[in-house]
Amino acid sequence: MKTSRNINPKTVMAPLAAFTMAWVLFAYTRHSIQAAKLNAKLTREQNQHQQHQQEREYRDGGHSDK
């Protein structure tokens, strides 16, 4: 049996579009996760800094060294 496979722009575009969409979704997901991790880290560090500053002010009786 002979099967003919026509390779033309119509048969190539659908798989190419699906692959492109999958790649864009993958890249967006990876970037979003990395950005969320960085944002959480920076927020955590900022909160720790504020907490230490409040503890210092409480210990000093509300007087700051500024």
Side-chain angles (χ1 to χ4, degrees):
M1 280 189 202
K2 187 176 180 183
T3 60
S4 63
R5 293 193 179 250
N6 289 336
I7 297 179
N8 58 41
K10 288 183 180 181
T11 60
V12 173
M13 285 307 283
L16 183 62
F19 176 78
T20 303
M21 287 186 284
W23 179 251
V24 168
L25 180 61
F26 171 76
Y28 176 77
T29 303
R30 292 281 299 214
H31 176 75
S32 296
I33 290 171
Q34 290 175 347
K37 285 181 179 181
L38 179 61
N39 188 22
K41 179 183 175 187
L42 294 175
T43 301
R44 194 168 41 248
E45 290 173 355
Q46 184 180 18
N47 290 342
Q48 287 175 348
H49 176 71
Q50 287 176 350
Q51 184 179 8
H52 290 312
Q53 187 175 5
Q54 288 173 350
E55 289 172 357
R56 215 175 312 126
E57 288 176 0
Y58 178 75
R59 199 178 20 205
D60 294 342
H63 303 292
S64 64
D65 294 337
K66 294 180 183 175

